[in-house]
Amino acid sequence: MANVIRTIDLFAGAGGLSHGFELAGRGYEPVFAVEIDDAAARTFKRNFGCEVYTGDIEMVEDFREGEVIIGGPPCQGFSPLGRNRDDESRAQLNELWQQYLRAVHEVKPKAFVIENVPEFQRSAQFAELLHLMESDPLLKEYSFGYGVLHAADYGVPQSRRRGIFMAVRGVDEVPWPPPPTHGPESPGERPYATVRDVIANLPAKPKADEIGWDGERQDLHLRRNPRPMSLERYKAIPEGGNRFDLARNRPDLLPDCWRNKPTGTTDVMGRLWWDRPSVTIRTEFYKPEKGRYLHPVADRPITHREAARLQSFPDEFVFEGSKIEVARQIGNAVPPLLGKAIAEHVHRVAFPDHGSKNGDE
């Protein structure tokens, strides 16, 4: 147990952030998680085996002991995609981060990490967090760093930006950001991981209709059954194209809602590029009308397996729930490789003299 760093994951989802901490190989071990969504909680339990409280974090009476608290309070209150919420529900969502701080006060970890959408760091709630870090008797013991990290800079084959706040108790400073491993700021300017890198070896024509098993691995490479008109629309869109290519190539197939709106997002009904990171994978990646989710060359949207790989989940990671529930877990997750980079940074700053499972430090 001497080399174990116990982690507590709040608002844990499927466990992308916890899996990233595991991938770091620094001795991190989940001991407790809180997740309100039943399917996501079952996924976390299946993959990590620790105690999971399934329900509202406000109902947790006491948290387990641990050295690191991680987690991402629900982001819809800050995200542009959540702007249609009423003021009361938005306020309730935004205040959930205070439950996170309740856990910090109870557990008094060596370090904690808050993950959220970039908008959180421009919110009144974040300004209040910064005030508390300077005025609260316990929180004043923590140095902190924060900013927006680009997942592609850390090996994720996806353009996805997340706001990360990292605090460590008993150190003079928290250097920021974590050193990039890919892209122009990385050592040797290592190229970004691309769509081709992670999904090119999957069959162009999936065969499964439902989540099942292919030998010892979960089969998430699921086909859909588009209407003939939808299939014709897909065929009219080239690699990297979008609904505007559809308008040029097959105006007869253009829906009136797009015909009457000649401007707007270029990602709708978009096709991915092979040799670039993907766009941000969201919860409805299986609907091309929601974004740039068409396969680079196959006339279909990306599958659950492809989306999971673009989020940097390994095929061995098992998801629980229906197809819609699994898609939601994939789209809401912190990419594990981004989590790994954060975990390594936490280890460098908070546990510099701590051993690792790999015995390399």
Side-chain angles (χ1 to χ4, degrees):
M1 292 293 290
N3 284 336
V4 170
I5 302 173
R6 296 168 296 179
T7 63
I8 297 169
D9 197 336
L10 308 179
F11 311 99
L17 190 52
S18 279
H19 189 57
F21 271 67
E22 272 195 346
L23 290 175
R26 302 295 182 180
Y28 295 110
E29 183 175 303
V31 295
F32 184 62
V34 179
E35 173 52 42
I36 195 170
D37 180 81
D38 180 71
R42 286 187 282 118
T43 294
F44 195 102
K45 178 72 173 180
R46 176 156 189 165
N47 287 277
F48 301 102
C50 69
E51 180 183 357
V52 180
Y53 179 87
T54 306
D56 193 328
I57 191 173
E58 296 177 357
M59 303 304 293
V60 177
E61 295 184 359
D62 59 89
F63 298 90
R64 306 300 174 262
E65 293 182 354
E67 286 71 52
V68 179
I69 296 178
I70 60 178
C75 65
Q76 290 90 340
F78 308 109
S79 169
L81 297 179
R83 287 174 181 162
N84 60 346
R85 289 180 177 269
D86 61 87
D87 291 341
E88 182 177 355
S89 65
R90 185 191 302 272
Q92 290 172 344
L93 283 169
N94 287 350
E95 298 307 318
L96 284 174
W97 67 268
Q98 295 189 18
Q99 293 294 324
Y100 185 110
L101 292 184
R102 176 170 73 92
V104 172
H105 276 91
E106 180 179 322
V107 177
K108 299 178 178 61
K110 175 66 175 177
F112 64 90
V113 175
I114 298 176
E115 175 272 337
N116 217 300
V117 293
E119 286 80 3
F120 175 57
Q121 297 188 359
R122 299 194 297 270
S123 70
Q125 285 75 19
F126 189 71
E128 175 64 15
L129 172 61
L130 294 182
H131 172 71
L132 289 173
M133 295 300 296
E134 302 290 350
S135 60
D136 181 272
L138 173 65
L139 297 181
K140 284 197 300 183
E141 299 178 12
Y142 291 82
S143 296
F144 56 90
Y146 63 89
V148 177
L149 300 184
H150 185 203
D153 288 338
Y154 302 96
V156 182
Q158 180 189 166
S159 179
R160 187 186 193 97
R161 288 172 169 81
R162 303 301 292 177
I164 304 297
F165 179 94
M166 170 179 155
V168 179
R169 184 158 52 92
V171 300
D172 292 333
E173 65 173 341
V174 174
W176 197 261
T181 60
H182 293 67
E185 301 302 319
S186 67
E189 299 185 5
R190 186 179 181 184
Y192 287 130
T194 68
V195 173
R196 187 189 300 275
D197 291 336
V198 296
I199 73 169
N201 66 339
L202 289 169
K205 294 184 177 181
K207 296 180 180 179
D209 295 304
E210 300 294 335
I211 297 174
W213 290 87
D214 182 6
E216 296 182 354
R217 291 187 177 181
Q218 188 177 35
D219 188 358
L220 295 178
H221 197 47
L222 309 177
R223 66 183 180 186
R224 292 180 62 80
N225 296 299
R227 293 178 299 136
M229 181 176 290
S230 295
L231 188 58
E232 291 302 311
R233 287 171 178 161
Y234 302 164
K235 292 178 179 178
I237 299 170
E239 179 181 350
N242 53 42
R243 69 182 180 94
F244 298 110
D245 292 279
L246 175 62
R248 285 188 290 269
N249 297 334
R250 289 295 303 271
D252 56 308
L253 298 176
L254 200 65
D256 288 339
C257 60
W258 293 348
R259 191 188 315 277
N260 298 328
K261 189 179 181 182
T263 61
T265 177
T266 58
D267 280 341
V268 169
M269 197 61 83
R271 193 180 286 280
L272 292 166
W273 290 270
W274 267 133
D275 297 314
R276 301 185 189 181
S278 80
V279 298
T280 300
I281 300 299
R282 304 191 189 278
T283 58
E284 293 186 305
F285 55 79
Y286 50 88
K287 296 181 179 180
E289 66 272 19
K290 296 288 187 177
R292 187 177 294 277
Y293 299 135
L294 288 175
H295 187 277
V297 293
D299 293 322
R300 58 170 177 80
I302 57 173
T303 66
H304 287 59
R305 172 57 66 210
E306 288 165 339
R309 287 190 180 185
L310 291 170
Q311 275 278 62
S312 73
F313 278 102
D315 291 356
E316 293 78 13
F317 195 92
V318 178
F319 293 90
E320 294 280 352
S322 67
K323 288 188 287 187
I324 291 176
E325 289 170 330
V326 170
R328 188 182 305 127
Q329 293 171 51
I330 292 170
N332 282 334
V334 177
L337 286 182
L338 175 59
K340 178 185 177 184
I342 295 169
E344 290 174 340
H345 199 51
V346 169
H347 192 270
R348 279 190 294 269
V349 179
F351 308 101
D353 300 321
H354 183 274
S356 73
K357 289 183 178 179
N358 295 337
D360 60 351
E361 188 168 308

